[in-house]
Amino acid sequence: MKIFKKNMYITYCRNQKSLNVVDTTQYRRDAIAGEYRPTYLIRVSDWEKVPGKQVETGYCALSYAWEQSGDVVQKENGEYDCIDNGRHCIVEGYDMNKGDLTTMTLTEEEKYEVQFLPSTRSKATIKHVTYEELLQQICKDFEIQYLCNTCYTVAIIPEVHIYDPKHFDDVNPMRDFKVASTRTLIDMGQKSLWWKRSWTLEEKMSSKRILVIGADAHLWQHSFHTCNIPTLYYYFSEWMLDYANQKQGGGSVNQALSQAHFWNEINIKTTFHHFYRTIATHDLSILCFGSNLFFNGEEYPANTMKNHDLPSWTGVSGLHLYKRVTTTTTWLRPQHSICDDMLLHISTKYYKTISVVQYDCGRFSPLSHDIDQWDQQIDNFEKREAVKGPSPRVEEDNALIDWAIQMTRVSGFYATHYYQPQDAPVTQARPLSLTEDCDKCIILPTLLKSYSLLAKRTEEFPPLRLFDGYAHDYFLPVIKKYVDTANGTKGRYKAIGIYYLGGMLNKDLISDNPDEILISVFGDNVHSEAKEFIIQ
């Protein structure tokens, strides 16, 4: 047996800082799982199995990355196991205002050990424990007596930690959450093993309430659909907790795929071919993805699904919209199917070829990525909005940049190109977010409708954010010709992103009726015979 990953142990500081603006302790205490009780529950204090009917209090589900519970070793048969050598750390009395765990690490092999600064060493103590002992301490601190499914989910994410204690004193005035929570989202979404594991996806997306426990900071998050509960308003609530609480029938494929492409799994190509084929056969919202580039031209963290030779229509070259997306069914809906060669066949009389050009302003310029310039453009955009309120973009000097900002707001994608109808003013242009450059592409009549949470603020301070319905935005999938005559693929196409039509909240569209929206786009582009697009 050999060590595969060494020292994957967790450091837990008992005097944690909360990322919530208000004290959520009572909300956690009041969270119950209803009258139902499982046949058995696990009592944390001694890890004994007890009959569920004997338990009157609530109980929680535990979610964590398996390989962070000890040393990952490879056995002689090639399989992996996790050996707990009791090197998890419980830290007492650490002064959060004088340092942070990111600067107090030893060698890379011992990065989960704590080295105390001279100013705090006399106050802090450290105890090495097994993973079970660590969980017992965490559950004791957060008043959790029993584990199963599920009063709420307890997510152990040691990558979540404090960067600067001052961030806990600052509250974002626009969304009423602590500035420190911004870094937490980065830790959770880009660094944590927990976020990248397929077996935690169901736990994430089925949870109405989650307690995230990091190394020295924690976060309680409640579904927006539960009234009078203080909820941080950012994509964690909009994507994850909203998935399990949609009043219109659950989350969407796009929300799952926005994470699935970053799982770190092995030997899953066959499984994923079946997975994508099943999805696309029933739901073309899989085509709702955009560019994977940041403002400075750098790529989003590595997409692990690129290793499995998946076709373009799965979105592996871009990013899927994290919000709920549905394929709006209308009489224009094209016929589609997936063949055994993983080719997506779409047949329709309604399609439109458009000429597009790259954005050449601010953050989206291929020549300039000046973040200060872009921040100033956003400030100007918000000032215009504050004066006019949501309205059609009527100023030609600002039209393109306003569309680019709006697309980023509603989708998280950066606009890479735009389409301006011939002989039309720039105010009639629309942005696209594409995974590769082109000067001509095709838009298809599959109307993709996204749902953005709307929140209302209460009068109290700090104000609560409560669910107040949805704003809707509309997109169309974009494809381009793909020619590789050497391999006999002439006449095939690639899926390369989305075309943003706008939304009703900003009065971009004159109607919220899907048929009327599609007719406004494709009414003059109906062809006498259906064309089959073979997308690889």
Side-chain angles (χ1 to χ4, degrees), residues 444-467:
L444 298 176
T446 299
L447 193 62
L448 304 170
K449 182 178 183 180
S450 73
Y451 296 75
S452 300
L453 281 173
L454 294 177
K456 59 184 177 182
R457 297 174 57 154
T458 61
E459 297 296 329
E460 59 195 287
F461 184 82
L464 304 183
R465 291 281 188 169
L466 303 178
F467 175 71

Side-chain angles (χ1 to χ4, degrees), residues 28 33 93 131 297 303 306 444:
R28 286 191 286 106
Y131 191 67
N303 181 329
K306 284 186 176 180
L444 298 176

Side-chain angles (χ1 to χ4, degrees), residues 125-142:
T125 61
I126 184 171
K127 180 171 70 170
H128 290 95
V129 297
T130 64
Y131 191 67
E132 287 189 353
E133 291 170 326
L134 177 76
L135 293 181
Q136 284 178 322
Q137 185 64 66
I138 290 175
C139 289
K140 180 180 179 181
D141 291 344
F142 288 91

Side-chain angles (χ1 to χ4, degrees), residues 173-211:
M174 295 295 293
R175 294 197 170 188
D176 306 316
F177 61 76
K178 294 181 180 179
V179 174
S181 60
T182 302
R183 298 306 299 264
T184 297
L185 291 176
I186 295 174
D187 287 343
M188 289 175 57
Q190 296 185 16
K191 296 181 179 180
S192 74
L193 293 176
W194 179 82
W195 197 271
K196 296 177 174 69
R197 290 299 179 261
S198 58
W199 66 78
T200 63
L201 182 64
E202 181 179 357
E203 298 164 346
K204 303 172 198 175
M205 303 190 77
S206 63
S207 298
K208 300 179 182 179
R209 314 170 190 91
I210 290 182
L211 173 63

Side-chain angles (χ1 to χ4, degrees), residues 52-68:
K53 62 182 180 181
Q54 295 181 8
V55 177
E56 297 181 358
T57 61
Y59 49 95
C60 302
L62 182 65
S63 182
Y64 65 95
W66 166 80
E67 61 265 57
Q68 289 180 322

Side-chain angles (χ1 to χ4, degrees), residues 103-114:
T103 60
M104 287 170 279
T105 55
L106 299 177
T107 64
E108 178 63 18
E109 290 76 16
E110 299 171 314
K111 62 182 177 181
Y112 293 104
E113 298 284 354
V114 178

Side-chain angles (χ1 to χ4, degrees), residues 139-284:
C139 289
K140 180 180 179 181
D141 291 344
F142 288 91
E143 302 175 289
I144 300 166
Q145 295 178 290
Y146 298 93
L147 295 175
C148 191
N149 269 321
T150 178
C151 170
Y152 59 84
T153 298
V154 180
I156 308 297
I157 310 180
E159 293 90 346
V160 171
H161 53 74
I162 297 172
Y163 283 84
D164 187 341
K166 295 178 182 178
H167 292 164
F168 285 81
D169 299 325
D170 300 327
V171 177
N172 184 312
M174 295 295 293
R175 294 197 170 188
D176 306 316
F177 61 76
K178 294 181 180 179
V179 174
S181 60
T182 302
R183 298 306 299 264
T184 297
L185 291 176
I186 295 174
D187 287 343
M188 289 175 57
Q190 296 185 16
K191 296 181 179 180
S192 74
L193 293 176
W194 179 82
W195 197 271
K196 296 177 174 69
R197 290 299 179 261
S198 58
W199 66 78
T200 63
L201 182 64
E202 181 179 357
E203 298 164 346
K204 303 172 198 175
M205 303 190 77
S206 63
S207 298
K208 300 179 182 179
R209 314 170 190 91
I210 290 182
L211 173 63
V212 173
I213 300 176
D216 52 10
H218 63 269
L219 165 68
W220 166 259
Q221 187 68 357
H222 211 114
S223 167
F224 252 94
H225 294 276
T226 303
C227 297
N228 302 318
I229 300 294
T231 304
L232 303 186
Y233 183 42
Y234 49 24
Y235 84 86
F236 187 45
S237 56
E238 184 163 21
W239 180 84
M240 185 180 298
L241 297 173
D242 192 48
Y243 190 98
N245 292 276
Q246 288 281 354
K247 293 182 178 179
Q248 290 131 338
S252 72
V253 165
N254 244 74
Q255 289 174 289
L257 290 177
S258 68
Q259 275 200 45
H261 284 171
F262 298 91
W263 291 344
N264 290 339
E265 301 298 334
I266 303 172
N267 297 327
I268 58 174
K269 181 176 178 179
T270 301
T271 300
F272 267 85
H273 276 200
H274 176 73
F275 171 69
Y276 285 113
R277 185 183 294 112
T278 301
I279 286 175
T281 299
H282 300 283
D283 189 349
L284 280 179

